[in-house]
């Protein structure tokens, strides 16, 4: 026998107690249900990717912040041999790789959902996870992809967060063409647009003054150019209001270029469809400070905030990417997607005590073991209930009845079934409602029906 | 822009096309349903474990075959720094660690299910996976764990495979105490029992003659001792038959020790409960050649075979382990569990063409886009149906109607909804059954009801 090993888990890798996991699964099931209702098919990719595939974006991407966090894997037995494997850090890159690889076998538009963990070598810190569950939905078109897909995603997401019932939230939408065109018009060189967009993405965090300073230092913009950028990216509000202001600004700004105009048009089309479907400014607004840090976005971009939890940041983000699959394929396969960071969201709300905690049991019925020599018969009752779809457990370990009832209370069972010699002979059951403590006698033939009725209350 | 990267997946890491993944999820959902019906709570552990935790068994276990396959992980940015993380190779060890770690917060008996991937550095070979989904159910008791749990697991597993409808199967049960006691009585030293059990486990593979040879070479057993072992471990059949023979052999074999007798008693108790619940020798037999390679099993052991696919080997195995959690805790926490290797099972049946393949779509209804200027209205119909629980998609990409119907056929939609100017004015819908090709006109107020009726057929 080896010496005892102290059992420990790894910081930044959340592990939930059963009650918490039941709660978590409840929210995960809501996401899956909504994704499937809109016709998305499931995609699961392997945890490992070839490094060169995973890092395809690296050279063209100045921030290697994600790349620094990537985990490599190799067999311990060959510890010092090079391997070419690494763990996925998001679900978008594996999806793009999968689509490029299997394009000939997929039916386009390919609408997939993917709910899997991803891994990042984050430093241990509250709210930072090294393993977390992402819930992604994306639509990939062949050659073209109608803008209606950009409008449909926020509606799906709206449905999910409403169903989750986790308080008021707001989806913020913007457009990278509009922002890119604006920056170009304001004098930023074409090859610096992505970095400038990242600056804008930081306004909320570092403040306008800092952004002004940086726009001057990095790009030598004039005051009026910086003013223009700040004015635009401060636009935020109901669709009509923001679109009106944008159109006015176009008239004032004679240098407005084509990209910029296309951006306004896309933003208008998408947001009009969203509003026409009943979403209001309570849950959906335009917000031109949303730029997204990732370089692959090319049009619509989204972020979602929980109104009562601004510090959480965006709980669901995404956007339109016209060239991502192009890293792996010559075929033009434009896409749009959104992603919910479920681990962070649920664990935050859980710690704040804002989620209705599940009971520490999945099943509602406990069978009391009145006489241990009848264990087989109790198991037979359990089977009968389970076959009728009623989740049931048998109290096999507690030696006396009062311990069994204590267990029933602690684990939160709704009903207890008590049966002994007398009941077996009479073909009846004692049914106890654990909440009201009322106990009734039920005939064998009515057992399932009666339990279903009591559970429905 | 970087050069294009050839998209590739990693051999031994299965990735399914959508239709296959829908099929796979269908079977995974069956497992989850049955696990939850019997009161098991979900447990998800992190993909990473501390190496020392994962390798706790290493020294006491002669076969380091699993250990050789373990993947270590570290951040690529720190490639050559040692880290202490590795990927789990099964779900039993993480569960034991979790139980030891959180024992004070768990309610015992702790019955958990766990459906997650595990990773092993296997050589690429057909049917060998480096990543595969395990479906585990275990019950852990505090101090004691009633034998009824050993009987309940095969019944749960029987329910799952019946529900999966994948052909005849048979659960084989044996007992390590019985086998261990037998080997001890036959002259094998106590510290070699585990290795000798592994030999027995190989009989089916290498044949009796080879096993006889090895028992002689390794332990210098006499012919009559080896005969006894071979006679016992060849016992296989219906419960009553095997138990009868075991009892006769006890009488003949005067050296029968205590462990051996306890083994027979456990086997009898467990199998009698199993049979009393309606399982017959068609799906449940005793089979004393089942020994299981892992050293932590201490009593009941199980394997399951698909009658028509003997080459697949065991598709669901497990057993009773009284000391596993003892690697991490002083508390006595005996357990029993079974595990389904879902990836291997489903992919085997899929490749043989034996699973009913799902349709390449999850949703049954497609909305035909008769006029692209009404996209918002089509999306609005989709939303209405989705809110009524009817999974619906809109044909947004195909420019003409015949392309849309081609798409509907290819993706396997059950119904198509057609609406244009006329329908919008009249408040009616054209509903087309894609199988019968019949088309009917439905009033707006009857839409959901009519669709539900048609889908129910």
């Amino acid at each position: 026998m080896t010496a005892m090993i102290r059992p420990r888990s790894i910081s930044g890798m959340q592990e939930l107690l059963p009650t918490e996991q039941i709660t978590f699964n409840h929210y995960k099931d809501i996401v899956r249900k909504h994704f499937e209702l809109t016709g998305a098919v499931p995609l699961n990719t392997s945890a490992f990717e070839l490094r060169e595939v995973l890092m395809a974006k690296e050279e063209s991407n100045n921030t290697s912040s994600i790349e620094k966090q990537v985990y490599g894997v190799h067999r311990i037995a060959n510890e010092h041999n090079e391997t070419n494997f690494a763990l996925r850090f998001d679900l978008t890159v594996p999806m793009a790789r999968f689509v490029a690889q299997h394009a000939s076998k997929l039916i386009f538009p390919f609408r997939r959902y993917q709910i899997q963990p991803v891994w990042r070598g984050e430093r241990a810190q509250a709210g930072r996870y090294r393993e977390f569950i992402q819930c992604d939905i994306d639509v990939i078109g062949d050659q073209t992809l109608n803008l209606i897909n950009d409008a449909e995603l926020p509606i799906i997401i709206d449905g999910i967060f409403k169903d989750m019932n986790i308080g008021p939230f707001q989806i913020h939408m913007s457009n990278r063409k509009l922002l890119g065109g604006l920056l170009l018009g304001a004098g930023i060189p074409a090859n610096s647009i992505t970095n400038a967009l990242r600056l804008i993405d930081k306004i909320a965090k570092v403040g306008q003054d800092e952004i002004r300073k940086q726009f001057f230092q990095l790009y030598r913009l004039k005051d009026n150019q910086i003013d223009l950028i700040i004015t635009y990216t401060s636009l935020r509000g109901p669709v009509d209001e923001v679109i009106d202001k944008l159109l006015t600004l176009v008239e004032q700004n004679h240098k407005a270029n084509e990209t910029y105009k296309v951006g306004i048009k896309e933003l208008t089309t998408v947001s009009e469809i969203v509003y026409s479907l009943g979403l209001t400014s309570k849950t959906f607004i335009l917000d031109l400070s949303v730029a997204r840090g990732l370089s692959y976005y090319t049009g619509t971009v989204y972020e979602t905030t929980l109104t009562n939890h601004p510090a959480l940041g965006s709980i669901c983000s995404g956007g339109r990417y016209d060239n991502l699959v192009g890293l792996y394929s010559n075929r033009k396969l434009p896409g749009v997607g959104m992603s919910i960071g479920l681990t962070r969201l649920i664990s935050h709300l859980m710690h704040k005590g804002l989620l209705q905690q599940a009971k520490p049991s999945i099943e509602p019925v406990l069978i009391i073991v009145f006489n241990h020599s009848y264990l087989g018969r109790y198991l037979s009752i359990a089977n009968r209930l389970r076959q009728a779809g009623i989740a049931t457990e048998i109290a096999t370990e507690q030696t006396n009845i009062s311990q069994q009832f204590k267990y029933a209370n602690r684990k939160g069972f709704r009903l207890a079934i008590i049966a002994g010699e007398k009941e077996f002979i009479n073909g009846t059951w004692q049914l106890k409602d654990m909440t009201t403590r009322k106990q009734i006698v039920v005939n064998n033939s009515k057992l399932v029906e009666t339990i279903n009725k009591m559970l429905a209350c």
Side-chain angles (χ1 to χ4, degrees), chain A:
Chain A
M1 198 66 188
T2 48
M4 212 164 63
I5 305 287
R6 192 161 68 85
R8 282 165 298 153
S9 34
I10 295 165
S11 72
M13 301 211 146
Q14 186 181 59
E15 288 187 324
L16 300 173
L17 288 167
T19 322
E20 298 166 336
Q21 188 69 50
I22 293 170
T23 305
F24 188 89
N25 287 0
H26 167 70
Y27 290 98
K28 197 167 78 170
D29 287 342
I30 288 178
V31 177
R32 177 179 167 182
K33 185 188 81 182
H34 281 266
F35 283 172
E36 294 195 342
L37 267 179
T38 61
V41 291
L43 175 66
N44 281 6
T45 63
S46 59
F48 296 12
E49 291 281 341
L50 292 169
R51 288 189 189 190
E52 60 190 89
V53 166
L54 209 55
M55 305 304 202
K57 258 306 205 204
E58 193 170 31
E59 277 179 65
S60 60
N61 194 335
N62 271 328
T63 58
S64 47
S65 64
I66 284 179
E67 284 76 6
K68 272 186 200 152
Q69 299 173 339
V70 173
Y71 282 108
V73 277
H74 49 68
R75 282 169 53 214
I76 288 181
N78 279 333
E79 190 108 54
H80 299 292
N81 283 17
E82 293 259 331
T83 73
N84 194 18
F85 302 155
L87 295 173
R88 62 173 172 247
F89 58 80
D90 76 357
L91 303 178
T92 311
V93 170
M95 184 269 299
R97 185 265 306 158
F98 182 91
V99 169
Q101 194 176 342
H102 300 287
S104 64
K105 290 175 226 140
L106 300 177
I107 303 177
F108 290 96
F110 176 60
R111 178 185 294 229
R112 82 86 174 81
Y113 76 90
Q114 190 166 357
I115 301 178
Q116 288 192 292
V118 302
W119 295 272
R120 288 185 198 170
E122 293 274 3
R123 285 227 231 129
Q125 197 180 328
R128 289 262 178 204
Y129 291 100
R130 302 196 209 189
E131 174 181 70
F132 52 97
I133 306 282
Q134 293 275 99
C135 306
D136 279 28
I137 183 164
D138 289 79
V139 195
I140 312 282
D142 188 2
Q143 309 306 320
T144 61
L145 183 67
N146 200 299
L147 273 180
I148 194 176
N149 291 289
D150 299 49
E152 198 176 7
L153 289 186
I155 292 164
I156 295 167
I157 297 297
D158 176 73
I160 290 172
F161 289 128
K162 272 194 186 128
D163 210 359
M164 283 188 174
N165 196 20
I166 50 173
F169 59 89
Q170 211 167 34
I171 302 168
H172 303 234
M173 192 175 82
S174 177
N175 187 291
R176 288 276 284 247
K177 288 196 186 72
L178 190 158
L179 294 170
L182 164 75
L183 293 170
L184 207 61
I188 308 270
N191 60 5
S192 298
I193 298 292
T194 304
N195 281 333
L197 284 169
R198 259 186 223 121
L199 274 183
I200 290 172
D201 210 43
K202 284 187 193 152
I203 290 184
K205 214 188 238 171
V206 301
Q208 276 189 23
D209 289 349
E210 176 62 25
I211 297 298
R212 278 181 177 278
K213 216 169 76 186
Q214 294 209 23
F215 268 116
F216 175 74
Q217 283 176 353
L218 289 167
Y219 310 111
R220 299 285 149 190
L221 295 196
K222 291 177 200 141
D223 271 357
N224 66 332
Q225 291 174 311
I226 298 179
D227 284 344
L228 195 69
I229 294 173
I230 298 289
T231 309
Y232 269 84
T233 56
S234 306
L235 289 177
R236 176 180 179 154
V239 172
D240 299 349
E241 230 171 73
V242 173
I243 300 276
D244 273 354
K245 283 185 195 156
L246 280 171
L247 294 173
T248 315
L249 282 162
V250 175
E251 279 169 31
Q252 290 169 358
N253 173 26
H254 297 295
K255 279 197 247 163
N257 53 41
E258 248 341 279
T259 323
Y260 174 89
K261 284 182 193 158
V262 174
I264 294 187
K265 195 150 176 262
E266 287 187 4
L267 199 64
T268 312
T269 309
V270 174
S271 52
E272 274 175 359
I273 300 177
V274 173
Y275 268 29
S276 79
L277 285 164
L279 263 60
T280 67
S281 57
K282 251 185 88 180
T283 50
F284 181 86
I285 59 165
L286 297 185
D287 178 353
L288 299 201
S289 73
V290 171
R292 307 294 302 139
L294 293 163
S295 58
Y296 52 67
Y297 292 119
T298 52
T300 307
V301 280
Y302 327 84
E303 285 187 352
T304 312
T305 52
L306 276 187
T307 312
N308 300 337
H309 306 270
L312 240 187
S314 178
I315 57 167
C316 173
S317 314
R320 160 79 72 148
Y321 43 89
D322 281 341
N323 312 314
L324 180 61
V325 180
L327 290 168
Y328 314 105
S329 167
N330 280 322
R331 199 155 156 182
K332 202 189 162 198
L333 301 164
V336 61
M338 288 186 88
S339 175
I340 301 174
L342 198 64
T343 302
R344 241 179 107 240
L345 171 63
I346 298 303
S347 75
H348 178 86
L349 296 174
M350 218 178 250
H351 289 141
K352 298 263 172 196
L354 292 168
L355 296 183
Q356 222 199 329
Q357 192 85 331
K359 286 194 177 149
S361 160
I362 277 187
E363 76 269 73
V365 175
L366 181 71
I367 295 172
I368 299 292
V369 175
F370 200 74
N371 181 334
H372 262 256
S373 59
Y374 290 129
L375 273 179
R377 297 188 78 150
Y378 293 116
L379 191 46
S380 153
I381 309 171
N383 270 3
R384 202 176 137 209
L385 297 180
R386 288 166 184 173
Q387 272 161 21
I390 300 162
T392 305
E393 189 180 323
I394 310 158
T396 57
E397 304 311 311
Q398 302 77 9
T399 40
N400 69 55
I401 308 288
S402 81
Q403 277 180 333
Q404 293 178 34
F405 276 110
K406 213 178 272 174
Y407 175 72
N409 282 322
R410 200 168 157 221
K411 224 177 150 185
F413 289 92
R414 297 272 310 277
L415 297 175
I417 291 183
I418 305 130
E421 188 88 40
K422 200 179 107 196
E423 283 76 18
F424 289 130
I425 292 169
N426 294 345
T428 56
W429 312 98
Q430 306 267 357
L431 247 175
K432 181 168 185 169
D433 186 315
M434 294 302 295
T435 322
T436 65
R437 319 227 145 232
K438 264 191 202 158
Q439 194 161 321
I440 55 168
V441 178
V442 182
N443 214 294
N444 188 34
S445 61
K446 300 268 184 182
L447 182 64
V448 168
E449 189 189 329
T450 311
I451 290 177
N452 275 330
K453 252 188 221 156
M454 289 172 81
L455 292 178
C457 292

